[in-house]
Amino acid sequence: MINFRNAKYIISLPDYKMRPINGMPEIAVFGKSNVGKSTLINLLTGMKLAFSSKQAGKTKLLNYFLIDNTFYLVDTPGYGYTTYGSKEDASFGDMMEHYFENPQLVMSFLLLDCRHAPGKDDLEFLSFLKESGTPFSIIFTKSDQAKQSEIAARKKFAIEEQINNVLFSGKGLKAEQLRAVFAKTLQR
């Protein structure tokens, strides 16, 4: 059993090729700026490990967290709108395109805000994930703030996109549920 509370920050990097070379698998968390990636990591680990900000675009590097000496959880920069503009969007694209060449990447979690239909950037990244061949799941965040009609629309979207691995997260999501999903991913 993985002890998700045994977690620590390791390093922040501009390129996955600089990552720790020890053969440990990596699980990466992707999504728009301010979608809740850091909040999800903090829920998963039960501590304030990742910095969350109200201002979009604060994460600019790949942040590696070691979980129970078993795997790396990688917090990625957000895509889409940032206060830093298109220069950051271009560097994000380059960083992520090459990140998927990473042989240690075993799973990606794409976070989407449940309250809004996936935007152009979300759909492009989803298409990229499908083409990459890397297993992935979608986590719809902020579902506790969404209307039932919005939740129903996201479920319909997942069915139309033929995405079987979908989780809805919000204040009601228990850390144990999230940990079980991550642990199951590592057993594949």
Side-chain angles (χ1 to χ4, degrees), residues 112-148:
L112 300 172
D113 189 328
C114 190
R115 302 169 298 174
H116 309 288
K120 181 181 177 232
D121 292 333
D122 297 317
L123 296 173
E124 286 176 2
F125 199 79
L126 179 58
S127 177
F128 181 79
L129 279 173
K130 288 178 177 180
E131 291 171 16
S132 78
T134 302
F136 71 93
S137 291
I138 289 181
I139 299 176
F140 285 103
T141 62
K142 306 179 185 185
S143 62
D144 56 322
Q145 301 168 26
K147 299 174 187 167
Q148 288 302 314

PDB file of all heavy atoms in Angstrom, residues 112-148:
ATOM      1  N   LEU A 112     -10.006  19.169 -15.899  1.00  0.00           N
ATOM      2  CA  LEU A 112     -10.897  20.105 -16.580  1.00  0.00           C
ATOM      3  C   LEU A 112     -11.881  20.655 -15.560  1.00  0.00           C
ATOM      4  O   LEU A 112     -12.372  19.916 -14.707  1.00  0.00           O
ATOM      5  CB  LEU A 112     -11.661  19.404 -17.706  1.00  0.00           C
ATOM      6  CG  LEU A 112     -10.824  18.767 -18.815  1.00  0.00           C
ATOM      7  CD1 LEU A 112     -11.711  17.946 -19.746  1.00  0.00           C
ATOM      8  CD2 LEU A 112     -10.075  19.822 -19.600  1.00  0.00           C
ATOM      9  N   ASP A 113     -12.190  21.932 -15.666  1.00  0.00           N
ATOM     10  CA  ASP A 113     -13.147  22.575 -14.758  1.00  0.00           C
ATOM     11  C   ASP A 113     -14.545  22.113 -15.128  1.00  0.00           C
ATOM     12  O   ASP A 113     -15.022  22.345 -16.245  1.00  0.00           O
ATOM     13  CB  ASP A 113     -13.025  24.103 -14.881  1.00  0.00           C
ATOM     14  CG  ASP A 113     -13.817  24.851 -13.828  1.00  0.00           C
ATOM     15  OD1 ASP A 113     -14.884  24.368 -13.399  1.00  0.00           O
ATOM     16  OD2 ASP A 113     -13.375  25.953 -13.447  1.00  0.00           O
ATOM     17  N   CYS A 114     -15.206  21.469 -14.190  1.00  0.00           N
ATOM     18  CA  CYS A 114     -16.530  20.898 -14.417  1.00  0.00           C
ATOM     19  C   CYS A 114     -17.580  21.955 -14.759  1.00  0.00           C
ATOM     20  O   CYS A 114     -18.568  21.665 -15.424  1.00  0.00           O
ATOM     21  CB  CYS A 114     -16.958  20.113 -13.171  1.00  0.00           C
ATOM     22  SG  CYS A 114     -18.433  19.121 -13.417  1.00  0.00           S
ATOM     23  N   ARG A 115     -17.365  23.175 -14.341  1.00  0.00           N
ATOM     24  CA  ARG A 115     -18.362  24.229 -14.522  1.00  0.00           C
ATOM     25  C   ARG A 115     -18.418  24.774 -15.942  1.00  0.00           C
ATOM     26  O   ARG A 115     -19.343  25.498 -16.295  1.00  0.00           O
ATOM     27  CB  ARG A 115     -18.087  25.381 -13.555  1.00  0.00           C
ATOM     28  CG  ARG A 115     -18.089  24.955 -12.093  1.00  0.00           C
ATOM     29  CD  ARG A 115     -17.561  26.039 -11.211  1.00  0.00           C
ATOM     30  NE  ARG A 115     -16.172  26.333 -11.576  1.00  0.00           N
ATOM     31  CZ  ARG A 115     -15.459  27.320 -11.063  1.00  0.00           C
ATOM     32  NH1 ARG A 115     -15.980  28.121 -10.172  1.00  0.00           N
ATOM     33  NH2 ARG A 115     -14.205  27.510 -11.436  1.00  0.00           N
ATOM     34  N   HIS A 116     -17.414  24.418 -16.747  1.00  0.00           N
ATOM     35  CA  HIS A 116     -17.322  24.980 -18.100  1.00  0.00           C
ATOM     36  C   HIS A 116     -17.102  23.870 -19.124  1.00  0.00           C
ATOM     37  O   HIS A 116     -16.388  22.908 -18.858  1.00  0.00           O
ATOM     38  CB  HIS A 116     -16.163  25.980 -18.193  1.00  0.00           C
ATOM     39  CG  HIS A 116     -16.185  27.009 -17.112  1.00  0.00           C
ATOM     40  ND1 HIS A 116     -17.100  28.032 -17.068  1.00  0.00           N
ATOM     41  CD2 HIS A 116     -15.408  27.154 -16.010  1.00  0.00           C
ATOM     42  CE1 HIS A 116     -16.888  28.773 -15.999  1.00  0.00           C
ATOM     43  NE2 HIS A 116     -15.863  28.257 -15.331  1.00  0.00           N
ATOM     44  N   ALA A 117     -17.676  24.057 -20.294  1.00  0.00           N
ATOM     45  CA  ALA A 117     -17.408  23.125 -21.389  1.00  0.00           C
ATOM     46  C   ALA A 117     -15.927  23.213 -21.737  1.00  0.00           C
ATOM     47  O   ALA A 117     -15.331  24.295 -21.660  1.00  0.00           O
ATOM     48  CB  ALA A 117     -18.257  23.490 -22.602  1.00  0.00           C
ATOM     49  N   PRO A 118     -15.304  22.115 -22.103  1.00  0.00           N
ATOM     50  CA  PRO A 118     -13.904  22.159 -22.491  1.00  0.00           C
ATOM     51  C   PRO A 118     -13.691  23.164 -23.626  1.00  0.00           C
ATOM     52  O   PRO A 118     -14.437  23.172 -24.610  1.00  0.00           O
ATOM     53  CB  PRO A 118     -13.598  20.736 -22.950  1.00  0.00           C
ATOM     54  CG  PRO A 118     -14.588  19.903 -22.194  1.00  0.00           C
ATOM     55  CD  PRO A 118     -15.827  20.750 -22.120  1.00  0.00           C
ATOM     56  N   GLY A 119     -12.687  24.006 -23.465  1.00  0.00           N
ATOM     57  CA  GLY A 119     -12.376  25.020 -24.460  1.00  0.00           C
ATOM     58  C   GLY A 119     -11.447  24.486 -25.539  1.00  0.00           C
ATOM     59  O   GLY A 119     -11.047  23.320 -25.537  1.00  0.00           O
ATOM     60  N   LYS A 120     -11.087  25.375 -26.441  1.00  0.00           N
ATOM     61  CA  LYS A 120     -10.214  25.007 -27.557  1.00  0.00           C
ATOM     62  C   LYS A 120      -8.900  24.409 -27.059  1.00  0.00           C
ATOM     63  O   LYS A 120      -8.448  23.376 -27.559  1.00  0.00           O
ATOM     64  CB  LYS A 120      -9.962  26.246 -28.417  1.00  0.00           C
ATOM     65  CG  LYS A 120      -9.082  25.987 -29.613  1.00  0.00           C
ATOM     66  CD  LYS A 120      -8.859  27.267 -30.416  1.00  0.00           C
ATOM     67  CE  LYS A 120      -7.904  26.982 -31.553  1.00  0.00           C
ATOM     68  NZ  LYS A 120      -6.791  27.876 -31.623  1.00  0.00           N
ATOM     69  N   ASP A 121      -8.270  25.048 -26.070  1.00  0.00           N
ATOM     70  CA  ASP A 121      -6.999  24.539 -25.529  1.00  0.00           C
ATOM     71  C   ASP A 121      -7.178  23.153 -24.915  1.00  0.00           C
ATOM     72  O   ASP A 121      -6.330  22.279 -25.081  1.00  0.00           O
ATOM     73  CB  ASP A 121      -6.435  25.488 -24.473  1.00  0.00           C
ATOM     74  CG  ASP A 121      -5.967  26.807 -25.051  1.00  0.00           C
ATOM     75  OD1 ASP A 121      -5.603  26.840 -26.238  1.00  0.00           O
ATOM     76  OD2 ASP A 121      -5.952  27.808 -24.312  1.00  0.00           O
ATOM     77  N   ASP A 122      -8.287  22.956 -24.195  1.00  0.00           N
ATOM     78  CA  ASP A 122      -8.561  21.650 -23.587  1.00  0.00           C
ATOM     79  C   ASP A 122      -8.701  20.573 -24.662  1.00  0.00           C
ATOM     80  O   ASP A 122      -8.150  19.478 -24.537  1.00  0.00           O
ATOM     81  CB  ASP A 122      -9.854  21.696 -22.758  1.00  0.00           C
ATOM     82  CG  ASP A 122      -9.782  22.646 -21.586  1.00  0.00           C
ATOM     83  OD1 ASP A 122      -8.755  22.663 -20.886  1.00  0.00           O
ATOM     84  OD2 ASP A 122     -10.770  23.373 -21.370  1.00  0.00           O
ATOM     85  N   LEU A 123      -9.459  20.886 -25.698  1.00  0.00           N
ATOM     86  CA  LEU A 123      -9.708  19.908 -26.759  1.00  0.00           C
ATOM     87  C   LEU A 123      -8.432  19.585 -27.527  1.00  0.00           C
ATOM     88  O   LEU A 123      -8.195  18.430 -27.884  1.00  0.00           O
ATOM     89  CB  LEU A 123     -10.800  20.422 -27.703  1.00  0.00           C
ATOM     90  CG  LEU A 123     -12.175  20.592 -27.054  1.00  0.00           C
ATOM     91  CD1 LEU A 123     -13.149  21.256 -28.025  1.00  0.00           C
ATOM     92  CD2 LEU A 123     -12.724  19.270 -26.547  1.00  0.00           C
ATOM     93  N   GLU A 124      -7.590  20.601 -27.747  1.00  0.00           N
ATOM     94  CA  GLU A 124      -6.312  20.357 -28.416  1.00  0.00           C
ATOM     95  C   GLU A 124      -5.409  19.470 -27.560  1.00  0.00           C
ATOM     96  O   GLU A 124      -4.763  18.557 -28.072  1.00  0.00           O
ATOM     97  CB  GLU A 124      -5.607  21.680 -28.724  1.00  0.00           C
ATOM     98  CG  GLU A 124      -6.231  22.445 -29.863  1.00  0.00           C
ATOM     99  CD  GLU A 124      -5.597  23.812 -30.104  1.00  0.00           C
ATOM    100  OE1 GLU A 124      -4.624  24.178 -29.391  1.00  0.00           O
ATOM    101  OE2 GLU A 124      -6.079  24.521 -31.002  1.00  0.00           O
ATOM    102  N   PHE A 125      -5.380  19.729 -26.256  1.00  0.00           N
ATOM    103  CA  PHE A 125      -4.535  18.919 -25.378  1.00  0.00           C
ATOM    104  C   PHE A 125      -5.084  17.495 -25.275  1.00  0.00           C
ATOM    105  O   PHE A 125      -4.318  16.523 -25.279  1.00  0.00           O
ATOM    106  CB  PHE A 125      -4.405  19.553 -23.987  1.00  0.00           C
ATOM    107  CG  PHE A 125      -3.232  19.025 -23.225  1.00  0.00           C
ATOM    108  CD1 PHE A 125      -1.949  19.487 -23.483  1.00  0.00           C
ATOM    109  CD2 PHE A 125      -3.395  18.045 -22.274  1.00  0.00           C
ATOM    110  CE1 PHE A 125      -0.851  18.985 -22.803  1.00  0.00           C
ATOM    111  CE2 PHE A 125      -2.304  17.530 -21.584  1.00  0.00           C
ATOM    112  CZ  PHE A 125      -1.031  18.005 -21.855  1.00  0.00           C
ATOM    113  N   LEU A 126      -6.397  17.360 -25.221  1.00  0.00           N
ATOM    114  CA  LEU A 126      -7.020  16.042 -25.187  1.00  0.00           C
ATOM    115  C   LEU A 126      -6.660  15.261 -26.456  1.00  0.00           C
ATOM    116  O   LEU A 126      -6.309  14.079 -26.393  1.00  0.00           O
ATOM    117  CB  LEU A 126      -8.536  16.171 -25.042  1.00  0.00           C
ATOM    118  CG  LEU A 126      -9.331  14.878 -25.027  1.00  0.00           C
ATOM    119  CD1 LEU A 126      -8.887  13.957 -23.897  1.00  0.00           C
ATOM    120  CD2 LEU A 126     -10.816  15.191 -24.905  1.00  0.00           C
ATOM    121  N   SER A 127      -6.722  15.918 -27.591  1.00  0.00           N
ATOM    122  CA  SER A 127      -6.356  15.282 -28.854  1.00  0.00           C
ATOM    123  C   SER A 127      -4.890  14.855 -28.827  1.00  0.00           C
ATOM    124  O   SER A 127      -4.541  13.747 -29.258  1.00  0.00           O
ATOM    125  CB  SER A 127      -6.617  16.254 -30.005  1.00  0.00           C
ATOM    126  OG  SER A 127      -6.221  15.696 -31.224  1.00  0.00           O
ATOM    127  N   PHE A 128      -4.043  15.721 -28.302  1.00  0.00           N
ATOM    128  CA  PHE A 128      -2.622  15.402 -28.176  1.00  0.00           C
ATOM    129  C   PHE A 128      -2.420  14.173 -27.284  1.00  0.00           C
ATOM    130  O   PHE A 128      -1.622  13.283 -27.603  1.00  0.00           O
ATOM    131  CB  PHE A 128      -1.855  16.609 -27.638  1.00  0.00           C
ATOM    132  CG  PHE A 128      -0.387  16.373 -27.500  1.00  0.00           C
ATOM    133  CD1 PHE A 128       0.451  16.433 -28.600  1.00  0.00           C
ATOM    134  CD2 PHE A 128       0.168  16.081 -26.266  1.00  0.00           C
ATOM    135  CE1 PHE A 128       1.814  16.214 -28.478  1.00  0.00           C
ATOM    136  CE2 PHE A 128       1.526  15.855 -26.129  1.00  0.00           C
ATOM    137  CZ  PHE A 128       2.349  15.915 -27.241  1.00  0.00           C
ATOM    138  N   LEU A 129      -3.144  14.123 -26.161  1.00  0.00           N
ATOM    139  CA  LEU A 129      -3.039  12.972 -25.259  1.00  0.00           C
ATOM    140  C   LEU A 129      -3.438  11.678 -25.973  1.00  0.00           C
ATOM    141  O   LEU A 129      -2.768  10.654 -25.837  1.00  0.00           O
ATOM    142  CB  LEU A 129      -3.924  13.164 -24.027  1.00  0.00           C
ATOM    143  CG  LEU A 129      -3.379  14.025 -22.913  1.00  0.00           C
ATOM    144  CD1 LEU A 129      -4.444  14.240 -21.851  1.00  0.00           C
ATOM    145  CD2 LEU A 129      -2.138  13.414 -22.297  1.00  0.00           C
ATOM    146  N   LYS A 130      -4.522  11.726 -26.713  1.00  0.00           N
ATOM    147  CA  LYS A 130      -4.984  10.534 -27.436  1.00  0.00           C
ATOM    148  C   LYS A 130      -3.933  10.069 -28.437  1.00  0.00           C
ATOM    149  O   LYS A 130      -3.667   8.877 -28.557  1.00  0.00           O
ATOM    150  CB  LYS A 130      -6.301  10.825 -28.150  1.00  0.00           C
ATOM    151  CG  LYS A 130      -7.489  10.950 -27.225  1.00  0.00           C
ATOM    152  CD  LYS A 130      -8.740  11.286 -28.014  1.00  0.00           C
ATOM    153  CE  LYS A 130      -9.964  11.351 -27.150  1.00  0.00           C
ATOM    154  NZ  LYS A 130     -11.179  11.679 -27.926  1.00  0.00           N
ATOM    155  N   GLU A 131      -3.337  11.022 -29.141  1.00  0.00           N
ATOM    156  CA  GLU A 131      -2.329  10.690 -30.151  1.00  0.00           C
ATOM    157  C   GLU A 131      -1.026  10.203 -29.526  1.00  0.00           C
ATOM    158  O   GLU A 131      -0.294   9.438 -30.140  1.00  0.00           O
ATOM    159  CB  GLU A 131      -2.057  11.909 -31.038  1.00  0.00           C
ATOM    160  CG  GLU A 131      -3.214  12.276 -31.928  1.00  0.00           C
ATOM    161  CD  GLU A 131      -3.021  13.606 -32.642  1.00  0.00           C
ATOM    162  OE1 GLU A 131      -1.874  14.102 -32.689  1.00  0.00           O
ATOM    163  OE2 GLU A 131      -4.021  14.154 -33.123  1.00  0.00           O
ATOM    164  N   SER A 132      -0.722  10.642 -28.306  1.00  0.00           N
ATOM    165  CA  SER A 132       0.551  10.284 -27.670  1.00  0.00           C
ATOM    166  C   SER A 132       0.630   8.812 -27.311  1.00  0.00           C
ATOM    167  O   SER A 132       1.719   8.256 -27.191  1.00  0.00           O
ATOM    168  CB  SER A 132       0.770  11.118 -26.408  1.00  0.00           C
ATOM    169  OG  SER A 132      -0.005  10.624 -25.328  1.00  0.00           O
ATOM    170  N   GLY A 133      -0.514   8.194 -27.108  1.00  0.00           N
ATOM    171  CA  GLY A 133      -0.526   6.790 -26.722  1.00  0.00           C
ATOM    172  C   GLY A 133      -0.317   6.556 -25.240  1.00  0.00           C
ATOM    173  O   GLY A 133      -0.376   5.425 -24.770  1.00  0.00           O
ATOM    174  N   THR A 134      -0.079   7.596 -24.476  1.00  0.00           N
ATOM    175  CA  THR A 134       0.088   7.472 -23.032  1.00  0.00           C
ATOM    176  C   THR A 134      -1.284   7.292 -22.392  1.00  0.00           C
ATOM    177  O   THR A 134      -2.211   8.032 -22.711  1.00  0.00           O
ATOM    178  CB  THR A 134       0.742   8.743 -22.446  1.00  0.00           C
ATOM    179  OG1 THR A 134       1.993   8.954 -23.088  1.00  0.00           O
ATOM    180  CG2 THR A 134       0.954   8.613 -20.953  1.00  0.00           C
ATOM    181  N   PRO A 135      -1.440   6.335 -21.492  1.00  0.00           N
ATOM    182  CA  PRO A 135      -2.730   6.209 -20.799  1.00  0.00           C
ATOM    183  C   PRO A 135      -3.059   7.503 -20.051  1.00  0.00           C
ATOM    184  O   PRO A 135      -2.173   8.154 -19.504  1.00  0.00           O
ATOM    185  CB  PRO A 135      -2.497   5.065 -19.804  1.00  0.00           C
ATOM    186  CG  PRO A 135      -1.312   4.328 -20.313  1.00  0.00           C
ATOM    187  CD  PRO A 135      -0.475   5.340 -21.043  1.00  0.00           C
ATOM    188  N   PHE A 136      -4.339   7.864 -20.062  1.00  0.00           N
ATOM    189  CA  PHE A 136      -4.744   9.073 -19.356  1.00  0.00           C
ATOM    190  C   PHE A 136      -6.158   8.932 -18.828  1.00  0.00           C
ATOM    191  O   PHE A 136      -6.931   8.094 -19.280  1.00  0.00           O
ATOM    192  CB  PHE A 136      -4.637  10.314 -20.261  1.00  0.00           C
ATOM    193  CG  PHE A 136      -5.673  10.369 -21.347  1.00  0.00           C
ATOM    194  CD1 PHE A 136      -6.862  11.054 -21.140  1.00  0.00           C
ATOM    195  CD2 PHE A 136      -5.466   9.744 -22.563  1.00  0.00           C
ATOM    196  CE1 PHE A 136      -7.830  11.108 -22.133  1.00  0.00           C
ATOM    197  CE2 PHE A 136      -6.412   9.794 -23.560  1.00  0.00           C
ATOM    198  CZ  PHE A 136      -7.608  10.479 -23.345  1.00  0.00           C
ATOM    199  N   SER A 137      -6.440   9.749 -17.849  1.00  0.00           N
ATOM    200  CA  SER A 137      -7.777   9.877 -17.291  1.00  0.00           C
ATOM    201  C   SER A 137      -8.108  11.353 -17.219  1.00  0.00           C
ATOM    202  O   SER A 137      -7.213  12.192 -17.218  1.00  0.00           O
ATOM    203  CB  SER A 137      -7.848   9.294 -15.873  1.00  0.00           C
ATOM    204  OG  SER A 137      -7.722   7.903 -15.903  1.00  0.00           O
ATOM    205  N   ILE A 138      -9.384  11.631 -17.133  1.00  0.00           N
ATOM    206  CA  ILE A 138      -9.834  13.011 -16.949  1.00  0.00           C
ATOM    207  C   ILE A 138     -10.394  13.140 -15.542  1.00  0.00           C
ATOM    208  O   ILE A 138     -11.124  12.264 -15.066  1.00  0.00           O
ATOM    209  CB  ILE A 138     -10.905  13.393 -17.982  1.00  0.00           C
ATOM    210  CG1 ILE A 138     -10.265  13.533 -19.364  1.00  0.00           C
ATOM    211  CG2 ILE A 138     -11.596  14.693 -17.602  1.00  0.00           C
ATOM    212  CD1 ILE A 138     -11.216  13.937 -20.460  1.00  0.00           C
ATOM    213  N   ILE A 139     -10.027  14.220 -14.904  1.00  0.00           N
ATOM    214  CA  ILE A 139     -10.618  14.566 -13.614  1.00  0.00           C
ATOM    215  C   ILE A 139     -11.307  15.914 -13.795  1.00  0.00           C
ATOM    216  O   ILE A 139     -10.663  16.903 -14.122  1.00  0.00           O
ATOM    217  CB  ILE A 139      -9.564  14.652 -12.495  1.00  0.00           C
ATOM    218  CG1 ILE A 139      -8.857  13.307 -12.319  1.00  0.00           C
ATOM    219  CG2 ILE A 139     -10.221  15.102 -11.180  1.00  0.00           C
ATOM    220  CD1 ILE A 139      -7.733  13.310 -11.289  1.00  0.00           C
ATOM    221  N   PHE A 140     -12.626  15.917 -13.635  1.00  0.00           N
ATOM    222  CA  PHE A 140     -13.374  17.168 -13.683  1.00  0.00           C
ATOM    223  C   PHE A 140     -13.324  17.782 -12.291  1.00  0.00           C
ATOM    224  O   PHE A 140     -13.866  17.224 -11.332  1.00  0.00           O
ATOM    225  CB  PHE A 140     -14.824  16.932 -14.115  1.00  0.00           C
ATOM    226  CG  PHE A 140     -14.970  16.646 -15.582  1.00  0.00           C
ATOM    227  CD1 PHE A 140     -15.190  15.365 -16.035  1.00  0.00           C
ATOM    228  CD2 PHE A 140     -14.864  17.668 -16.512  1.00  0.00           C
ATOM    229  CE1 PHE A 140     -15.326  15.092 -17.385  1.00  0.00           C
ATOM    230  CE2 PHE A 140     -14.988  17.412 -17.872  1.00  0.00           C
ATOM    231  CZ  PHE A 140     -15.227  16.126 -18.313  1.00  0.00           C
ATOM    232  N   THR A 141     -12.647  18.905 -12.177  1.00  0.00           N
ATOM    233  CA  THR A 141     -12.486  19.567 -10.883  1.00  0.00           C
ATOM    234  C   THR A 141     -13.643  20.518 -10.608  1.00  0.00           C
ATOM    235  O   THR A 141     -14.422  20.842 -11.499  1.00  0.00           O
ATOM    236  CB  THR A 141     -11.163  20.364 -10.845  1.00  0.00           C
ATOM    237  OG1 THR A 141     -11.206  21.384 -11.847  1.00  0.00           O
ATOM    238  CG2 THR A 141      -9.968  19.454 -11.075  1.00  0.00           C
ATOM    239  N   LYS A 142     -13.723  20.933  -9.377  1.00  0.00           N
ATOM    240  CA  LYS A 142     -14.705  21.929  -8.928  1.00  0.00           C
ATOM    241  C   LYS A 142     -16.144  21.472  -9.171  1.00  0.00           C
ATOM    242  O   LYS A 142     -17.044  22.282  -9.361  1.00  0.00           O
ATOM    243  CB  LYS A 142     -14.420  23.284  -9.579  1.00  0.00           C
ATOM    244  CG  LYS A 142     -12.981  23.746  -9.340  1.00  0.00           C
ATOM    245  CD  LYS A 142     -12.655  25.055  -9.991  1.00  0.00           C
ATOM    246  CE  LYS A 142     -11.164  25.364  -9.801  1.00  0.00           C
ATOM    247  NZ  LYS A 142     -10.763  26.645 -10.297  1.00  0.00           N
ATOM    248  N   SER A 143     -16.367  20.161  -9.132  1.00  0.00           N
ATOM    249  CA  SER A 143     -17.710  19.634  -9.374  1.00  0.00           C
ATOM    250  C   SER A 143     -18.665  20.007  -8.238  1.00  0.00           C
ATOM    251  O   SER A 143     -19.877  20.048  -8.444  1.00  0.00           O
ATOM    252  CB  SER A 143     -17.681  18.117  -9.575  1.00  0.00           C
ATOM    253  OG  SER A 143     -17.199  17.465  -8.430  1.00  0.00           O
ATOM    254  N   ASP A 144     -18.097  20.303  -7.062  1.00  0.00           N
ATOM    255  CA  ASP A 144     -18.944  20.732  -5.956  1.00  0.00           C
ATOM    256  C   ASP A 144     -19.526  22.120  -6.197  1.00  0.00           C
ATOM    257  O   ASP A 144     -20.521  22.494  -5.580  1.00  0.00           O
ATOM    258  CB  ASP A 144     -18.149  20.720  -4.638  1.00  0.00           C
ATOM    259  CG  ASP A 144     -16.893  21.566  -4.700  1.00  0.00           C
ATOM    260  OD1 ASP A 144     -16.227  21.579  -5.760  1.00  0.00           O
ATOM    261  OD2 ASP A 144     -16.568  22.209  -3.690  1.00  0.00           O
ATOM    262  N   GLN A 145     -18.954  22.875  -7.122  1.00  0.00           N
ATOM    263  CA  GLN A 145     -19.438  24.217  -7.454  1.00  0.00           C
ATOM    264  C   GLN A 145     -20.276  24.219  -8.732  1.00  0.00           C
ATOM    265  O   GLN A 145     -20.802  25.254  -9.135  1.00  0.00           O
ATOM    266  CB  GLN A 145     -18.253  25.170  -7.634  1.00  0.00           C
ATOM    267  CG  GLN A 145     -17.373  25.278  -6.410  1.00  0.00           C
ATOM    268  CD  GLN A 145     -16.065  26.002  -6.716  1.00  0.00           C
ATOM    269  OE1 GLN A 145     -15.984  26.804  -7.625  1.00  0.00           O
ATOM    270  NE2 GLN A 145     -15.045  25.700  -5.936  1.00  0.00           N
ATOM    271  N   ALA A 146     -20.394  23.058  -9.372  1.00  0.00           N
ATOM    272  CA  ALA A 146     -21.100  22.964 -10.652  1.00  0.00           C
ATOM    273  C   ALA A 146     -22.581  22.658 -10.447  1.00  0.00           C
ATOM    274  O   ALA A 146     -22.982  22.032  -9.470  1.00  0.00           O
ATOM    275  CB  ALA A 146     -20.464  21.871 -11.506  1.00  0.00           C
ATOM    276  N   LYS A 147     -23.373  23.077 -11.406  1.00  0.00           N
ATOM    277  CA  LYS A 147     -24.796  22.741 -11.433  1.00  0.00           C
ATOM    278  C   LYS A 147     -24.937  21.315 -11.938  1.00  0.00           C
ATOM    279  O   LYS A 147     -24.061  20.798 -12.638  1.00  0.00           O
ATOM    280  CB  LYS A 147     -25.537  23.695 -12.376  1.00  0.00           C
ATOM    281  CG  LYS A 147     -25.459  25.141 -11.956  1.00  0.00           C
ATOM    282  CD  LYS A 147     -26.097  26.020 -13.020  1.00  0.00           C
ATOM    283  CE  LYS A 147     -25.879  27.483 -12.686  1.00  0.00           C
ATOM    284  NZ  LYS A 147     -26.197  28.365 -13.803  1.00  0.00           N
ATOM    285  N   GLN A 148     -26.060  20.685 -11.619  1.00  0.00           N
ATOM    286  CA  GLN A 148     -26.299  19.317 -12.085  1.00  0.00           C
ATOM    287  C   GLN A 148     -26.280  19.240 -13.612  1.00  0.00           C
ATOM    288  O   GLN A 148     -25.812  18.256 -14.179  1.00  0.00           O
ATOM    289  CB  GLN A 148     -27.626  18.789 -11.524  1.00  0.00           C
ATOM    290  CG  GLN A 148     -27.573  18.471 -10.037  1.00  0.00           C
ATOM    291  CD  GLN A 148     -26.501  17.435  -9.710  1.00  0.00           C
ATOM    292  OE1 GLN A 148     -26.360  16.415 -10.369  1.00  0.00           O
ATOM    293  NE2 GLN A 148     -25.719  17.707  -8.666  1.00  0.00           N
TER     294      GLN A 148
END
